[in-house]
Amino acid sequence: MMDLQLTAPLKDAKLNRYFNILKLALVLMPFLCLGYLTIGAGGASLTADGVLAGNPAMAVSFLSAMIQPYAAWLVILAERRLADGRTAWALVNLTLLLVAELMLMSTVGVIGLGLIVWKTGRVYALRPAAAFRQCDKRQFVREAGGSVLVILLAGLCLFAMCRLGLAF
């Protein structure tokens, strides 16, 4: 039988487990939000004149939940970079994703990515500031462009939350 494994195992089994839990939580986030919207709608439709148009706060939270699967895919890429030995780029991507999760105010994402960044720093003896200094800046867009895109989308959500009075 062929073993189907997306990434090579990492140095630490706990770190591997943390990655798997975070990926699962981020992928399930839109479904949980959709379920919350359906329950909160009380049977109303989710069309343009439904819940999302009637409650802009729910629309913003739905948009931020829809960003999470893309963040999970970027976590998979960072895990592959760790397995390949590109530790600095993996830590840069994870740090940028942590900033995006802070902007999205996602408790699960902040706790999960914070734990992974901390554990990665301990296991691989590299801190985020040192990782930023170690990386070649000419390859930044190629290696960390996806995380920058998530930060831009998170900034859009943060701006909308501030305008609605939901942030801070």
Side-chain angles (χ1 to χ4, degrees):
M1 299 274 308
M2 187 168 69
D3 184 26
L4 181 62
Q5 188 171 4
L6 295 176
T7 60
L10 301 175
K11 277 185 179 180
D12 190 44
K14 272 191 176 180
L15 184 60
N16 213 6
R17 189 175 324 130
Y18 295 158
F19 268 108
N20 290 334
I21 291 169
L22 180 65
K23 289 183 290 190
L24 182 66
L26 290 177
V27 167
L28 291 178
M29 200 68 69
F31 301 108
L32 295 172
C33 185
L34 192 60
Y36 177 73
L37 285 174
T38 305
I39 290 170
S45 66
L46 292 176
T47 61
D49 58 339
V51 176
L52 295 177
N55 190 348
M58 282 191 170
V60 172
S61 81
F62 183 69
L63 176 62
S64 45
M66 293 305 290
I67 295 171
Q68 300 301 336
Y70 182 62
W73 181 66
L74 292 174
V75 168
I76 291 170
L77 292 180
E79 187 179 13
R80 287 181 185 169
R81 285 186 179 107
L82 278 175
D84 291 346
R86 295 184 289 166
T87 309
W89 280 118
L91 197 54
V92 165
N93 273 306
L94 290 170
T95 305
L96 291 174
L97 284 174
L98 178 61
V99 169
E101 293 294 332
L102 283 167
M103 291 170 71
L104 288 171
M105 296 181 217
S106 170
T107 307
V108 173
V110 169
I111 292 171
L113 277 165
L115 184 64
I116 286 176
V117 167
W118 173 75
K119 188 70 172 172
T120 301
R122 290 198 60 204
V123 169
Y124 291 93
L126 184 66
R127 300 289 177 247
F132 275 100
R133 284 191 300 272
Q134 187 177 342
C135 292
D136 184 15
K137 306 304 183 263
R138 293 174 286 166
Q139 296 178 353
F140 188 80
V141 173
R142 184 184 78 190
E143 294 286 340
S147 299
V148 172
L149 178 64
V150 173
I151 286 178
L152 291 174
L153 291 171
L156 177 70
C157 290
L158 181 64
F159 175 74
M161 285 187 265
C162 287
R163 293 289 293 165
L164 292 171
L166 299 174
F168 312 112

